[in-house]
C-alpha cells in the first residue's frame, strides 16, 4: 500500500460523455456497469449536474432525478458528486435563494454526497448561498476555483497569477469548504504551473486539494503527474473510451505510471480494463456524436488562443449559419480583445458562449453595434464582479439604449423568491417538488419533458432510445441514399420533412421537400442547445424578403435565429430605438430596436419560430 495514494474521482458518467458525445449517454448503457464501478474503490464518482440535467430532459426524455436515484441504488458505497454552478444551479441564469435552497436540499436527499460548486467569475457571493445549504444538509462542500490565464497562456500576468489563485483558495476555505478543486475547464494548466500552483495552495490549505482538468490542449496527463508529485490529494480521470480529446485524462495509464510509487492509486487495472471493454461495446450507438472529422485527438491551437474546443465548434456553426465562415480568423482575433474589455472573464459556461457570440456580432455588424441581453446583464454586474474592471467605453456602448445602472451588490439579492411560482406553474401536471425544480431550471424544455413524463404528450421519435442494430441499419440506409444522391441536388428548404416508408419488412427514411412552399405550412420551432452540446438547430434557407414600401421600415433578422418574443403589439406606437423583437441567435438573446418612430404595422413571425437571415420580423410605418 502506498504511503500517500492519489485518490481518484471518476467522471465517466458525467464530464466524460458531456465532453465527448454531447452528454447523450443513456441510463440503459450506464446501469449495467454501475455496480462494478461502485466496487472499484474510487474516491467519488461524478454523475450529475451541468449539462447532464439539461440534456436528459431536452433530448433523452429521462428524468434527471430518477437517474440520480438509480445511481444511488446501484452505487451505494462510492460517494456521488455533482457539479453545481453556484447560484445558477444547473441552469444558465442567477436563481433566487429559495430555489437554491430547495434544489440543494432535494439533491442531497436523493443521493448527492459531494457538491462541487463553482462560479464562472469565481465570485464568492454567487457561491455562498449554495455553500450554506450544503452545509445545512451535512454534505461535503467542495468549492472549485475556475482556472484560466490572462493573455500569456501561462500562470502569471496581471490578473490570473499565483496570488490570485492562492487568495481564492484561502477565501473558499474560510467559506467552509471541505475540499478545494482547481477546475481547469479549458485544459490550459501547464505541467510546471500545476506544480507551482499545487505547492502554493497546499501550503495555505488544511483541506484536501483536487484537480479537474481537460485533455483539450494535450497537456493533461503531464499536468496531472506534476500536480500529483507536488502533493495533490485527488485527481479527476475517466475510463479510457471516454477519456482524452476534450475530456479528462484516462485512468489506465495513470494506474501504471504510478505503480510501485508512494502515490500508487490502489486501483485494479484488470477490472478497469473490463469496464472499458463494456463501454467500447455500447459506444457505437452514439457514433453520430462521437465521430470527429479531425485527425488530431488534441486541439493544439488552444495553446495559442486559449479558446476551449466546444467554444470554437460553436463559433464555426454560428458563422456557417450566418454564411460568414470566411471570417473565423477575425472572430478568433476579436475574442481576446473583448475578453480584455470585459475584465478577463474565465472562458467557462456561460461566459465562453457570451464572449464568443459577442465576438461574432462585433465582426459581422460592427463593434458592440448589437449587444446581447446577456452581455448587457454582465456589464450591469448581474453575473457578479468581473475579475478586472470593465472598459468604460464598452459599458457605455452596451448600455446606450437602457436606463439600467450597474449594481455592486450580490446578484441574487435583486431576485424575488421563485419556488412557489414554479410549483404553481406546473400544478395541473404534477405536485412533485422534483418536477417543480426541473421546470424552474428549464421552463420551456423542462415543461415539454414533464408533459411527456406524465403522459400528456407522446414521446417524440427522436427522444426514444435506439439499439445498436437500429443505429447500424440507419447508417447503412443513409450511406446507400447518399451514394445515389445527385451532386447537384438543391439545398433542403425549411419545409422539408422526414417520413418513414415501409416496404414489406424493409424500412426507409426519406425526406420530402415541396418544390413550392405550401400555404399555411408552419416551421416547427427548434430548441436551441445552450449546453455546450453539438446539436445545431436546423435553419431555414434564406428567402428574399420583399422590399419595404415607402414610409415603412422593416426589422430584418441580422442572423438566423429563433424569435423569442415581441416587445410590442400591432398598432402600437414606437419611438426609434424602442425594443421591438427579441431574437435568440447564437444562443444569446438579442433585442432588435425600431429603426424609426412610427406605428407597428405587422409582426410576421410567431414566437418560437425559426427564421432565416434577413427574414422580416417587423414592419413599422412612419
Ligand atoms: Co469539466
Amino acid at each position: 500500500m502506498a504511503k500517500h495514494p492519489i485518490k481518484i474521482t471518476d467522471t465517466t458518467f458525467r464530464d466524460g460523455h458531456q465532453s465527448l458525445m454531447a452528454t447523450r449517454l443513456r441510463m440503459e448503457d450506464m446501469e449495467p456497469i454501475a455496480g462494478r464501478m461502485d466496487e472499484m474503490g474510487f474516491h467519488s464518482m461524478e454523475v450529475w449536474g451541468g449539462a447532464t440535467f439539461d440534456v436528459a430532459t431536452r433530448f433523452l426524455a429521462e428524468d434527471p432525478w430518477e437517474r440520480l436515484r438509480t445511481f444511488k441504488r446501484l452505487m451505494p458505497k462510492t460517494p456521488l458528486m455533482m457539479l453545481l454552478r453556484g447560484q445558477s444551479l444547473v441552469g444558465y441564469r442567477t436563481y433566487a435563494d429559495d430555489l437554491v435552497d430547495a434544489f440543494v436540499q432535494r439533491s442531497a436527499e436523493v443521493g448527492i454526497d459531494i457538491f462541487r460548486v463553482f462560479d464562472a467569475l469565481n465570485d464568492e457571493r454567487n457561491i455562498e448561498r449554495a455553500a450554506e445549504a450544503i452545509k445545512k444538509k451535512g454534505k461535503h462542500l467542495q468549492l472549485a476555483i475556475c482556472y484560466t490565464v490572462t493573455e500569456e497562456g501561462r500562470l502569471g500576468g496581471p490578473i490570473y497569477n499565483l496570488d490570485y489563485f492562492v487568495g481564492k483558495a484561502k477565501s473558499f476555505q474560510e467559506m467552509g469548504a471541505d475540499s478545494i478543486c482547481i477546475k481547469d475547464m479549458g485544459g490550459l494548466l501547464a505541467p510546471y504551473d500545476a506544480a507551482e500552483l499545487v505547492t502554493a495552495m497546499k501550503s495555505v490549505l488544511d483541506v484536501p486539494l483536487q484537480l479537474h482538468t481537460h485533455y483539450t490542449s494535450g497537456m493533461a496527463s503531464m499536468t496531472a503527474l506534476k500536480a500529483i508529485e507536488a502533493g495533490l490529494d485527488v485527481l479527476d480521470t475517466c475510463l479510457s473510451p471516454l477519456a482524452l480529446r476534450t475530456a479528462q485524462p484516462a485512468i489506465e495509464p495513470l494506474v501504471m505510471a504510478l505503480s510501485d510509487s508512494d502515490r500508487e492509486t490502489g486501483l485494479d487495472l484488470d477490472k478497469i480494463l473490463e469496464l472499458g471493454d463494456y463501454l467500447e461495446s455500447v459506444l457505437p450507438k452514439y457514433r453520430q456524436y462521437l465521430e470527429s472529422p479531425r485527425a488530431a485527438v488534441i486541439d493544439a491551437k488552444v495553446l495559442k488562443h486559449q479558446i476551449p474546443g466546444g467554444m470554437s465548434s460553436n463559433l464555426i456553426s454560428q458563422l456557417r449559419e450566418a454564411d460568414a465562415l470566411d471570417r473565423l480568423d477575425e472572430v478568433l482575433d476579436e475574442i481576446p480583445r473583448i475578453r480584455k474589455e470585459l475584465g478577463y472573464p474565465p472562458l467557462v459556461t456561460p461566459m465562453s458562449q457570451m464572449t464568443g457570440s459577442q465576438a461574432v456580432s462585433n465582426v459581422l455588424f460592427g463593434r458592440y453595434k448589437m449587444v446581447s441581453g446577456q452581455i448587457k446583464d454582465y456589464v450591469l454586474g448581474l453575473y457578479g464582479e468581473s475579475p478586472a474592471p470593465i472598459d468604460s467605453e464598452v459599458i457605455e456602448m452596451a448600455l446606450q439604449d437602457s436606463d439600467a445602472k450597474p449594481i455592486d451588490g450580490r446578484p441574487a439579492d435583486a431576485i424575488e423568491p421563485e419556488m412557489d411560482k414554479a410549483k404553481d406553474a406546473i400544478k395541473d401536471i404534477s405536485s412533485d417538488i422534483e418536477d417543480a425544480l426541473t421546470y424552474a431550471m428549464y421552463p420551456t424544455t423542462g415543461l415539454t419533458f414533464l408533459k411527456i413524463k406524465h403522459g400528456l404528450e407522446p414521446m417524440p421519435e427522436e427522444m426514444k432510445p435506439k439499439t445498436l442494430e437500429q443505429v447500424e441499419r440507419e447508417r447503412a440506409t443513409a450511406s446507400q441514399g447518399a451514394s445515389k444522391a445527385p451532386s447537384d441536388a438543391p439545398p433542403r428548404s425549411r419545409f422539408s420533412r422526414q417520413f418513414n416508408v415501409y416496404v414489406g419488412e424493409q424500412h426507409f427514411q426519406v425526406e420530402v421537400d415541396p418544390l413550392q412552399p405550401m400555404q399555411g405550412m408552419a416551421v416547427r420551432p427548434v430548441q436551441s442547445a445552450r449546453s455546450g452540446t453539438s446539436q445545431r438547430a436546423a435553419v431555414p434557407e434564406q428567402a428574399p424578403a420583399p422590399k419595404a414600401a415607402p414610409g415603412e421600415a422593416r426589422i430584418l433578422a441580422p442572423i438566423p435565429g429563433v424569435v423569442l418574443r415581441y416587445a410590442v403589439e400591432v398598432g402600437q406606437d414606437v419611438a426609434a430605438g424602442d425594443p421591438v423583437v427579441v431574437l435568440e441567435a447564437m444562443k444569446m438573446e438579442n433585442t432588435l430596436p425600431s429603426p424609426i418612430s412610427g406605428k407597428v404595422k405587422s409582426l410576421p413571425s410567431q414566437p418560437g419560430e425559426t427564421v432565416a437571415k434577413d427574414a422580416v420580423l417587423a414592419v413599422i410605418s412612419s
Side-chain angles (χ1 to χ4, degrees):
M1 187 66 192
K3 275 190 288 209
H4 183 198
I6 181 78
K7 292 175 181 162
I8 298 294
T9 291
D10 178 88
T11 64
T12 308
F13 291 168
R14 206 283 293 177
D15 211 355
H17 71 109
Q18 178 172 328
S19 297
L20 297 188
M21 42 181 274
T23 330
R24 294 305 201 280
L25 199 56
R26 285 181 182 271
M27 271 320 269
E28 61 177 26
D29 292 321
M30 294 187 265
E31 280 177 46
I33 51 166
R36 280 189 285 160
M37 292 289 264
D38 195 36
E39 298 295 330
M40 224 29 71
F42 292 126
H43 167 73
S44 61
M45 287 199 44
E46 192 193 37
V47 296
W48 217 56
T52 48
F53 203 99
D54 186 1
V55 171
T57 46
R58 193 186 293 260
F59 298 118
L60 308 180
E62 291 186 9
D63 189 337
W65 299 97
E66 213 43 61
R67 284 172 74 133
L68 179 55
R69 229 184 303 280
T70 306
F71 282 135
K72 194 71 196 169
R73 176 168 53 77
L74 298 174
M75 302 189 287
K77 287 192 230 169
T78 311
L80 301 184
M81 181 169 79
M82 81 166 293
L83 182 66
L84 192 80
R85 297 170 180 151
Q87 199 79 23
S88 301
L89 302 172
V90 293
Y92 301 96
R93 65 170 173 89
T94 304
Y95 297 106
D97 286 336
D98 67 333
L99 196 55
V100 173
D101 294 345
F103 188 90
V104 166
Q105 196 177 336
R106 193 62 182 179
S107 310
E109 283 160 5
V110 175
I112 296 299
D113 304 291
I114 301 175
F115 288 83
R116 173 179 287 172
V117 188
F118 78 99
D119 172 61
L121 297 173
N122 291 325
D123 187 333
E124 285 85 349
R125 300 167 310 165
N126 287 333
I127 289 174
E128 63 187 38
R129 185 72 182 213
E132 278 169 36
I134 292 159
K135 296 297 254 186
K136 210 174 275 174
K137 291 301 284 183
K139 297 297 179 181
H140 183 115
L141 169 67
Q142 178 173 86
L143 295 183
I145 305 166
C146 291
Y147 179 82
T148 190
V149 293
T150 314
E151 270 173 347
E152 306 76 8
R154 293 286 299 270
L155 178 67
I159 320 270
Y160 297 110
N161 49 41
L162 206 53
D163 285 347
Y164 173 89
F165 292 111
V166 170
K168 284 291 168 194
K170 277 197 227 167
S171 146
F172 283 6
Q173 179 169 256
E174 277 159 27
M175 290 173 74
D178 298 301
S179 60
I180 297 288
C181 175
I182 304 167
K183 178 175 158 60
D184 174 25
M185 55 284 162
L188 302 176
L189 181 56
Y192 287 99
D193 291 343
E196 199 182 345
L197 192 58
V198 168
T199 306
M201 281 191 180
K202 287 291 290 176
S203 72
V204 298
L205 288 177
D206 305 318
V207 296
L209 180 63
Q210 182 155 2
L211 173 63
H212 173 85
T213 183
H214 286 253
Y215 219 86
T216 321
S217 70
M219 295 193 288
S221 293
M222 295 182 277
T223 298
L225 190 61
K226 293 307 287 182
I228 291 167
E229 285 176 3
L232 185 77
D233 299 288
V234 193
L235 175 72
D236 285 13
T237 68
C238 196
L239 296 184
S240 60
L242 286 174
L244 311 185
R245 294 159 281 181
T246 53
Q248 273 69 61
I251 180 60
E252 298 86 346
L254 198 78
V255 171
M256 183 56 75
L258 296 174
S259 63
D260 292 331
S261 78
D262 66 348
R263 304 303 316 268
E264 202 166 27
T265 60
L267 298 173
D268 184 331
L269 184 59
D270 289 332
K271 287 186 183 156
I272 294 176
L273 292 175
E274 283 172 23
L275 296 176
D277 283 345
Y278 166 79
L279 275 183
E280 286 287 353
S281 75
V282 297
L283 289 182
K285 276 162 87 168
Y286 302 94
R287 208 173 259 147
Q288 69 175 116
Y289 303 107
L290 276 162
E291 273 175 0
S292 154
R294 300 184 56 230
V297 296
I298 59 162
D299 182 0
K301 281 190 189 152
V302 168
L303 299 169
K304 179 87 186 129
H305 59 51
Q306 287 102 47
I307 293 163
M311 186 173 166
S312 32
S313 57
N314 269 337
L315 291 174
I316 290 170
S317 69
Q318 287 168 6
L319 285 170
R320 192 181 289 126
E321 285 174 13
D323 206 11
L325 202 51
D326 55 321
R327 308 194 70 178
L328 180 62
D329 284 343
E330 286 171 74
V331 171
L332 290 177
D333 289 342
E334 179 69 10
I335 288 172
R337 203 171 155 196
I338 294 184
R339 191 168 169 243
K340 185 176 182 183
E341 288 162 345
L342 294 179
Y344 294 103
L347 294 180
V348 59
T349 306
M351 291 312 308
S352 48
Q353 289 88 337
M354 287 158 59
T355 310
S357 298
Q358 194 60 49
V360 172
S361 290
N362 283 8
V363 167
L364 295 184
F365 314 121
R367 304 202 80 233
Y368 301 101
K369 287 280 183 287
M370 189 168 100
V371 178
S372 69
Q374 284 86 344
I375 290 284
K376 285 180 190 164
D377 286 350
Y378 171 80
V379 167
L380 287 169
L382 300 178
Y383 282 88
E385 191 184 5
S386 56
I390 302 172
D391 185 291
S392 56
E393 274 178 46
V394 169
I395 296 180
E396 210 169 289
M397 284 190 280
L399 302 181
Q400 57 188 352
D401 52 1
S402 144
D403 336 312
K405 291 271 165 290
I407 63 156
D408 51 15
R410 191 178 74 109
D413 284 345
I415 301 174
E416 295 289 315
E418 44 189 332
M419 199 56 219
D420 284 344
K421 276 182 235 160
K423 284 181 191 161
D424 193 55
I426 61 153
K427 65 175 189 303
D428 295 335
I429 302 175
S430 165
S431 57
D432 189 333
I433 176 86
E434 293 172 8
D435 288 341
L437 287 165
T438 299
Y439 169 79
M441 292 293 107
Y442 299 104
T444 311
T445 54
L447 187 64
T448 307
F449 165 75
L450 293 177
K451 287 179 184 163
I452 296 168
K453 176 184 166 184
H454 293 282
L456 301 172
E457 270 181 19
M459 191 187 298
E461 208 53 43
E462 64 270 17
M463 280 190 167
K464 291 180 182 164
K466 285 179 181 159
T467 63
L468 189 53
E469 291 68 36
Q470 272 173 312
V471 172
E472 293 302 335
R473 207 162 47 227
E474 281 174 21
R475 271 173 77 86
T477 314
S479 65
Q480 242 175 27
S483 63
K484 284 178 195 155
S487 56
D488 57 350
R492 288 179 183 82
S493 82
R494 61 184 176 145
F495 300 107
S496 80
R497 288 289 180 278
Q498 289 198 324
F499 292 89
N500 288 317
V501 177
Y502 301 92
V503 181
E505 291 304 303
Q506 278 190 302
H507 161 237
F508 303 90
Q509 239 179 22
V510 298
E511 209 166 328
V512 176
D513 194 358
L515 287 171
Q516 268 151 6
M518 290 178 245
Q519 275 292 314
M521 245 180 138
V523 178
R524 203 168 7 151
V526 177
Q527 303 291 354
S528 73
R530 286 165 173 267
S531 46
T533 61
S534 65
Q535 183 80 7
R536 195 161 63 90
V539 170
E541 64 167 17
Q542 204 171 319
K547 290 258 181 307
E552 277 180 12
R554 299 169 313 160
I555 300 177
L556 306 182
I559 194 166
V562 177
V563 175
L564 284 185
R565 59 188 170 272
Y566 282 107
V568 296
E569 286 170 6
V570 173
Q572 193 176 324
D573 290 326
V574 288
D578 279 358
V580 172
V581 54
V582 182
L583 180 72
E584 189 188 81
M586 304 185 295
K587 299 173 187 174
M588 295 294 129
E589 292 188 9
N590 301 283
T591 304
L592 305 178
S594 176
I596 58 167
S597 296
K599 204 181 263 303
V600 178
K601 190 177 169 199
S602 70
L603 302 171
S605 293
Q606 293 297 316
E609 186 177 334
T610 302
V611 293
K613 179 171 184 289
D614 292 336
V616 180
L617 302 181
V619 181
I620 316 289
S621 55
S622 58

